């Protein structure tokens, strides 16, 4: 799948088939994440891959909108060192994870991490040292279903402005 097709067709997937995701695909996804742009090329990110069912269930229990994490065979937690632009950098890496997953035939869904009340507990649960911020949690797996058609998106003419708003 080329990059433009991945951008145009990716959708959030919250229902996953009970199929193991190949380690090579997970490593390819993380490799794509580490190549994201970052302010001053600081690359403040670290990625924790969670395949253990009990740990995924615990993370899912902590979240407010990520209960489906328990059903995904893979969870990737994106953490960044506390730098000036950690959130922007971590979000760029997160977007690369979503697109790489889709391009490899996997579904994914981004669950918020930064500023959430569960962020510190997730950090401790996953053994991440202090000084790192949870940016996102991403559930990944083979889709049990793919939404038909397009999720409503505003038209290009509604969001594109030339020279002024």
């Amino acid at each position: 799948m080329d990059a433009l097709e991945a951008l145009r067709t990716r959708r959030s997937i919250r229902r996953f088939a009970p199929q193991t995701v190949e380690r090579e695909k997970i490593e390819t996804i993380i490799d794509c994440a580490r190549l994201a742009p970052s302010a001053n090329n600081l690359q403040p990110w670290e990625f924790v891959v969670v395949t253990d069912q009990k740990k995924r269930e615990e993370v899912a229990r902590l979240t407010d909108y990520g209960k489906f994490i328990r059903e995904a065979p893979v969870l990737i937690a994106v953490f960044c060192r506390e730098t000036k632009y950690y959130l922007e950098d971590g979000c760029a890496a997160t977007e690369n994870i979503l697109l790489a997953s889709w391009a490899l035939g996997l579904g994914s869904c981004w669950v918020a991490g930064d500023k959430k009340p569960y962020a510190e507990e997730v950090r401790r649960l996953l053994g991440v040292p202090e000084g790192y911020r949870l940016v996102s949690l991403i559930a990944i797996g083979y889709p049990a279903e793919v939404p038909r058609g397009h999720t409503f998106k505003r038209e290009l003419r509604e969001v594109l402005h030339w020279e002024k708003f």
Side-chain angles (χ1 to χ4, degrees):
M1 177 180 309
D2 75 6
L4 292 177
E5 182 180 355
L7 285 162
R8 289 181 174 130
T9 62
R10 189 214 62 82
R11 299 290 177 263
S12 292
I13 302 297
R14 292 177 180 84
R15 295 191 58 217
F16 302 95
Q19 181 180 350
T20 302
V21 176
E22 299 86 346
R23 184 180 185 97
E24 303 80 38
K25 286 188 176 187
I26 296 168
E27 289 178 355
T28 297
I29 290 165
I30 299 301
D31 194 38
C32 290
R34 76 170 181 85
L35 296 171
S38 69
N40 297 310
N41 198 31
L42 290 177
Q43 305 171 54
W45 40 64
E46 301 288 339
F47 308 98
V48 180
V49 176
V50 182
T51 57
D52 178 76
Q53 179 68 40
K54 288 186 192 265
K55 272 194 183 172
R56 288 193 328 273
E57 287 175 4
E58 182 63 17
V59 171
R61 185 189 63 76
L62 293 171
T63 67
D64 41 12
Y65 296 104
K67 303 307 181 197
F68 55 87
I69 288 170
R70 74 175 47 89
E71 307 303 327
V74 177
L75 167 65
I76 297 176
V78 178
F79 288 88
C80 284
R81 285 188 318 278
E82 292 185 44
T83 61
K84 184 174 182 180
Y85 297 108
Y86 78 90
L87 186 57
E88 292 86 344
D89 293 349
C91 287
T94 298
E95 182 69 8
N96 279 16
I97 290 169
L98 299 174
L99 292 169
S101 296
W102 190 244
L104 292 170
L106 300 166
S108 63
C109 190
W110 178 341
V111 177
D114 189 60
K115 301 177 191 74
K116 294 301 250 177
Y118 52 80
E120 274 301 298
E121 199 166 348
V122 170
R123 182 189 64 77
R124 286 191 299 273
L125 175 70
L126 298 181
V128 177
E130 289 187 26
Y132 285 86
R133 302 285 299 263
L134 175 64
V135 173
S136 61
L137 299 166
I138 305 125
I140 297 175
Y142 286 95
E145 64 182 19
V146 176
R148 293 190 179 273
H150 292 291
T151 305
F152 172 76
K153 299 289 184 184
R154 292 168 56 198
E155 295 290 328
L156 178 62
R157 62 182 164 70
E158 296 177 282
V159 299
L160 174 61
H161 309 277
W162 291 93
E163 311 303 338
K164 65 177 188 171
F165 192 92

